[in-house]
Amino acid sequence: LQAGDSFVAMYDELTHNGEFMGLGKIYYAEFTHAGKVYNAIRFDAGEKNSSTFWNEKGESLKKAFLKAPLNFTRISSGFSYARRHPVTRRVQPHTGVDYAAPSGTPVVALGDGVVTHRGWAGGGGNTIKIKHPGNYVTSYMHLRGYAKGISVGTRVSRGQLIGYVGSTGLSTGPHLDFRVYKNGKPIDPLKMESPSVEPVSKEKMPEFEAQMQHYRYQMDSLSIASYVQEYMQILQ
């Protein structure tokens, strides 16, 4: 943030018997930073799109992936092509991140996708793999068990419960060995830049643009009303 930055927002106020109780839905916002205006427009782009807010180009303000698939205690091992395995003691690649967490800690899907594997994976123990849009695949290993309803072919959403931290397979203690692949190649989850979800479709763009103009008209009307009120107070 810098001096001179500002924001405006249009939202519902929740009241009861004239008393303010809280905030409701946010419909539109503008954030001005270093002279540039950033927009957030609320719009329902359809059942297949989970995003709520968009910029003026119809691009989602929501990232496709979470920062991490669980609430972890610490990172016990990072991404490396030459790590000494804690069980076999052999130096070998570890193309993932180990998140240490108590056994039974919920594990969620990093993003929307389809389950392609649910079952035993040798040293990885109980494992779930999910294919995501954009040729991404995420892998969740050493699970204690799976969430109800999770099987191959199940479509999952960002943040949905898929399993629980365990210590199955070649493991010295409860943790999640989490891996991400892009076009079949492993990438460091801690350095990955999450893509945005799909933009507003071409079919929905006219409706989106009309909604955006409607919000902007309302914002202008509210601004004028505010100026008039301030002016009347000065005259009084």
Side-chain angles (χ1 to χ4, degrees):
L1 295 177
Q2 300 177 8
D5 289 354
S6 63
F7 74 91
V8 293
M10 182 172 65
Y11 55 89
D12 284 334
E13 281 191 353
L14 306 179
T15 62
H16 179 67
N17 292 332
E19 181 181 355
F20 174 74
M21 303 298 291
L23 300 181
K25 286 183 178 180
I26 297 173
Y27 295 99
Y28 181 84
E30 289 182 356
F31 172 56
T32 303
H33 171 66
K36 184 176 180 180
V37 178
Y38 300 86
N39 307 91
I41 301 107
R42 187 184 193 96
F43 180 73
D44 181 3
E47 293 182 2
K48 294 183 179 180
N49 208 312
S50 59
S51 187
T52 302
F53 291 97
W54 316 81
N55 65 18
E56 59 186 0
K57 297 179 181 179
E59 298 167 338
S60 174
L61 299 183
K62 176 182 176 181
K63 294 299 184 181
F65 296 146
L66 300 172
K67 288 290 186 181
L70 77 168
N71 291 321
F72 57 94
T73 305
R74 62 187 176 88
I75 293 176
S76 56
S77 185
F79 187 97
S80 172
Y81 282 99
R83 184 195 73 156
R84 188 174 297 278
H85 195 282
V87 177
T88 66
R89 307 308 299 169
R90 291 182 298 183
V91 176
Q92 62 189 72
H94 180 259
T95 53
V97 172
D98 287 348
Y99 292 105
S103 181
T105 298
V107 175
V108 301
L110 196 73
D112 297 349
V114 176
V115 176
T116 58
H117 176 89
R118 174 199 177 276
W120 190 260
N126 294 327
T127 298
I128 290 175
K129 291 184 179 181
I130 300 173
K131 184 177 182 180
H132 308 273
N135 292 324
Y136 285 92
V137 172
T138 54
S139 176
Y140 313 76
M141 303 161 69
H142 305 303
L143 299 172
R144 188 178 78 177
Y146 312 103
K148 185 178 180 181
I150 299 298
S151 59
V152 173
T154 300
R155 185 170 296 277
V156 295
S157 57
R158 178 178 180 264
Q160 180 178 337
L161 177 67
I162 59 173
Y164 306 91
V165 168
S167 187
T168 56
L170 288 178
S171 170
T172 59
H175 72 284
L176 176 72
D177 185 340
F178 175 66
R179 308 195 179 199
V180 180
Y181 302 86
K182 169 70 171 177
N183 294 323
K185 297 181 179 180
I187 59 176
D188 188 343
L190 300 181
K191 296 180 179 179
M192 174 182 63
E193 290 191 12
S194 174
S196 296
V197 301
E198 290 296 314
V200 174
S201 65
K202 291 182 180 180
E203 293 76 15
K204 284 275 188 177
M205 277 303 292
E207 183 182 347
F208 168 75
E209 291 173 348
Q211 186 73 67
M212 178 173 60
Q213 293 303 322
H214 173 68
Y215 287 152
R216 285 178 170 172
Y217 174 79
Q218 287 185 303
M219 288 292 293
D220 290 342
S221 298
L222 290 169
S223 296
I224 293 172
S226 177
Y227 291 143
V228 170
Q229 186 177 14
E230 290 179 6
Y231 182 68
M232 294 301 294
Q233 290 176 347
I234 292 173
L235 292 179
Q236 292 175 358

